[in-house]
Amino acid sequence: MACPPWPKGKKLVHLDLKGAPPRVEYLHKLIELFSQLGVNGLLVEYEDMFPYEGELKLLQSTAPPAYSREQILSMQECAKSKGMEVIPLVQTFGHMEFVFKHRPMWSLREVPYCVGTLNPHKEEGVKLVMEMLRQVVKMHPGLNTLHIGADEVYILGEGEESKLWLASPGRTVEQLFLSHVTKVAKAIKEAWPHMTIIMWDDMMRGMSPDILKASGLVGLVQPMLWDYTPNLDVDKTVSLLEKYCSAGMSDLWVASSFKGSTTVYTCVPSTQRHVDNHLQWLKVADSLSAGVNLQGIALTGWQRYDHLSVLCELMPVALPSLVSCLQTLSHGHFNAEAQNKATESLGISSVEVEEMEKTSASDSLFPGRRLAELIVELNALLNSDDMRLFDNDMFVRGWFSPYHRRRKMVTPLITMQIHSQASTFLTTLHQKADAMREEMVRFYPDSTVQEWIEEHVSPVMGPLQRITEEIRACVKEMVP
């Protein structure tokens, strides 16, 4: 059954810039497209792509180089010209891998082996996050809203100082979490009294309304409840939102996903999976009591699961998914009309990027379309059984096994056939990878392109190259 369209409130698109920061010209094209689709805000997660200064300069990425001050201001100007609010997301507790990977920052980790979690007992830790926030706020003139992260604060309570703190009667890890977030939120309000503060909700999901009320956090932050699954539990999610509301946190946000949440290494998203996630969110919105003041939804598009994991789907290949999810929210369902709107808005034949027919439609309808097509083609090739399981081919296993290779005792006729097949695969892979590389550098820095190739192409190409080299060496021993 169809739901009403998404209720009033912001529709934010999340730009996760860690690992695959789009070139600024491409960002401008994306912002233009987003505005045409009814998006009225960007949730921008800079991480190491922000041009931190002074003692924080070491946080800046060098490969790819962080955005310049001028580039960040131009992105904001472009968004504002389209009526879109820019909300920076700065992690202040968990997922601080991009900070704590640097040796001078190691002492601020909760435990030495967890790179992402801040030790909440060190005053230098609060000073660090406040300086990060100060620099980000300064570079966003007229900023009204900040997202302070605070999701997935792993291993909290395991550090020596936390264990000492928790040894006092009545103290819990929940209180430890809330005390740090409250301290940060109060410091933000002191520095910028007008600032609206958003935070991820997951660390508060098991907390009772009484614990939340007693924390001092009520009235300081607006929780953003995230769930990216296609089978999101509607009743459970509604009860969670109602719980926050009953604790006095009636201004609430939710977060869905249009890419980057299937598996840690997915290259090509399934549009239907993400549409299903949004259909569930529509049911949640339709079931909430009048007391819940839904501020909006953030459509997240993760580029990595965290700073140290591999790249997920790049933006161009996920645009059909994003457009479909936005149409689902606008229509309250994803029927033929919504699908037609999605395909028309990008000039494509199918909302599933793997099923798009090649057309000569203008690239302006779908910025990065050719790159999306090349990624889909190359991904299909790399995941084909012929490529991935070449070592399991009957002839390879039967006439060119590790036993044969070690002893260099082979049947030249068959091994040359194997060599021919492996060489053909290699040639095809090289051609496709070269075409994709040439296209990708138009949208992304060289380091992003290199990472994508090394992560996806090299593991398939390497074994094929080794086989061809080993065959040549073996045949040399057998043929005069």
Side-chain angles (χ1 to χ4, degrees):
M1 195 174 83
C3 289
W6 189 256
K8 285 181 182 176
K10 290 280 184 186
K11 285 181 192 167
L12 310 176
V13 169
H14 172 233
L15 291 177
D16 179 14
L17 301 175
K18 56 182 179 281
R23 296 192 186 277
V24 173
E25 304 76 27
Y26 185 49
L27 268 181
H28 287 200
K29 286 183 180 177
L30 289 173
I31 290 168
E32 171 72 38
L33 174 66
F34 298 164
S35 73
Q36 291 171 14
L37 298 168
V39 174
N40 47 21
L42 297 175
L43 181 62
V44 184
E45 188 161 1
Y46 293 103
E47 276 218 355
D48 58 352
M49 289 307 297
F50 187 82
Y52 287 106
E53 298 173 335
E55 289 182 9
L56 300 187
K57 194 174 176 67
L58 84 166
L59 305 185
Q60 273 194 46
S61 173
T62 52
Y67 290 118
S68 68
R69 179 180 183 278
E70 291 70 30
Q71 288 174 324
I72 286 178
L73 290 172
S74 83
M75 181 267 287
Q76 291 175 68
E77 283 305 312
C78 181
K80 285 175 186 171
S81 73
K82 304 295 177 189
M84 294 164 69
E85 182 181 6
V86 175
I87 301 174
L89 192 163
V90 181
Q91 288 287 3
T92 56
F93 207 171
H95 279 307
M96 293 184 67
E97 293 90 352
F98 83 100
V99 177
F100 296 145
K101 71 179 184 181
H102 297 285
R103 188 176 288 271
M105 301 292 185
W106 285 7
S107 63
L108 295 178
R109 296 178 186 176
E110 167 75 337
V111 292
Y113 58 85
C114 181
V115 185
T117 299
L118 175 84
N119 178 340
H121 306 281
K122 290 188 185 290
E123 200 52 46
E124 303 99 289
V126 176
K127 284 181 184 167
L128 166 70
V129 297
M130 285 307 296
E131 178 57 20
M132 288 164 62
L133 289 166
R134 188 192 68 75
Q135 292 195 24
V136 169
V137 171
K138 185 181 175 186
M139 208 171 289
H140 289 76
L143 187 67
N144 293 312
T145 308
L146 262 177
H147 195 308
I148 60 168
D151 60 319
E152 299 181 329
V153 187
Y154 300 126
I155 318 292
L156 183 61
E158 297 294 314
E160 291 309 312
E161 288 170 274
S162 288
K163 285 177 181 174
L164 277 173
W165 190 89
L166 291 165
S168 295
R171 285 182 173 176
T172 65
V173 174
E174 289 179 344
Q175 289 168 338
L176 180 58
F177 171 80
L178 290 168
S179 66
H180 174 74
V181 175
T182 304
K183 191 186 293 183
V184 171
K186 283 180 175 173
I188 291 170
K189 285 290 190 183
E190 196 175 313
W192 307 286
H194 69 284
M195 197 70 74
T196 296
I197 305 169
I198 303 172
M199 65 177 283
W200 297 120
D201 84 300
D202 54 285
M203 295 296 291
M204 302 188 290
R205 288 179 192 174
M207 298 181 191
S208 70
D210 288 341
I211 286 173
L212 291 170
K213 283 177 189 171
S215 69
L217 204 53
V218 175
L220 286 176
V221 300
Q222 299 178 356
M224 181 178 273
L225 195 160
W226 58 272
D227 192 319
Y228 311 142
T229 55
N231 56 351
L232 177 159
D233 186 323
V234 173
D235 293 340
K236 188 176 170 186
T237 306
V238 168
S239 335
L240 257 177
L241 289 164
E242 299 284 1
K243 177 187 81 172
Y244 296 139
C245 186
S246 71
M249 297 170 161
S250 56
D251 290 337
L252 293 160
W253 296 75
V254 300
S256 58
S257 168
F258 71 92
K259 81 177 186 80
S261 59
T262 303
T263 71
V264 70
Y265 49 79
T266 301
C267 282
V268 178
S270 156
T271 293
Q272 189 61 54
R273 174 189 171 86
H274 296 289
V275 163
D276 288 345
N277 174 241
H278 287 78
L279 289 171
Q280 295 300 92
W281 273 117
L282 283 165
K283 291 177 190 173
V284 170
D286 194 37
S287 306
L288 292 172
S289 67
V292 176
N293 186 12
L294 206 54
Q295 298 293 300
I297 183 168
L299 291 83
T300 64
W302 300 98
Q303 198 49 75
R304 300 184 190 276
Y305 274 33
D306 68 42
H307 183 78
L308 298 172
S309 66
V310 299
L311 291 171
C312 301
E313 307 99 298
L314 296 175
M315 183 64 84
V317 86
L319 287 179
S321 170
L322 174 60
V323 171
S324 301
C325 294
L326 287 165
Q327 291 297 340
T328 301
L329 293 178
S330 296
H331 286 79
H333 44 69
F334 197 54
N335 63 3
E337 183 193 354
Q339 287 186 46
N340 287 339
K341 281 274 179 69
T343 53
E344 282 169 19
S345 65
L346 288 181
I348 53 178
S349 56
S350 169
V351 293
E352 289 294 351
V353 69
E354 289 171 304
E355 296 168 17
M356 286 190 320
E357 290 175 18
K358 289 185 188 175
T359 67
S360 57
S362 165
D363 191 52
S364 62
L365 288 168
F366 184 160
R369 177 189 181 132
R370 180 62 188 140
L371 177 56
E373 290 172 347
L374 288 166
I375 288 174
V376 167
E377 284 176 25
L378 187 51
N379 187 61
L381 196 61
L382 291 167
N383 287 294
S384 66
D385 287 349
D386 284 347
M387 292 280 186
R388 283 222 170 256
L389 305 177
F390 190 71
D391 271 343
N392 283 334
D393 175 87
M394 181 186 81
F395 293 103
V396 177
R397 288 190 67 175
W399 281 272
F400 200 58
S401 70
Y403 180 88
H404 292 119
R405 296 177 210 186
R406 281 194 301 273
R407 284 158 181 76
K408 291 191 168 54
M409 290 297 292
V410 298
T411 303
L413 180 63
I414 294 178
T415 48
M416 290 312 291
Q417 288 173 350
I418 297 168
H419 184 279
S420 174
Q421 184 61 69
S423 297
T424 301
F425 285 160
L426 278 170
T427 301
T428 306
L429 271 179
H430 274 297
Q431 288 170 345
K432 298 275 185 193
D434 288 347
M436 198 209 67
R437 186 195 302 270
E438 191 179 327
E439 188 67 14
M440 198 186 283
V441 292
R442 295 177 55 212
F443 302 95
Y444 293 99
D446 293 347
S447 57
T448 298
V449 180
Q450 189 57 34
E451 181 180 351
W452 202 99
I453 298 286
E454 284 187 33
E455 199 60 57
H456 300 291
V457 181
S458 300
V460 178
M461 208 175 259
L464 290 169
Q465 284 171 328
R466 279 194 297 277
I467 279 183
T468 58
E469 288 160 11
E470 287 171 349
I471 286 174
R472 284 197 295 272
C474 289
V475 168
K476 229 183 249 182
E477 301 285 325
M478 299 290 293
V479 178

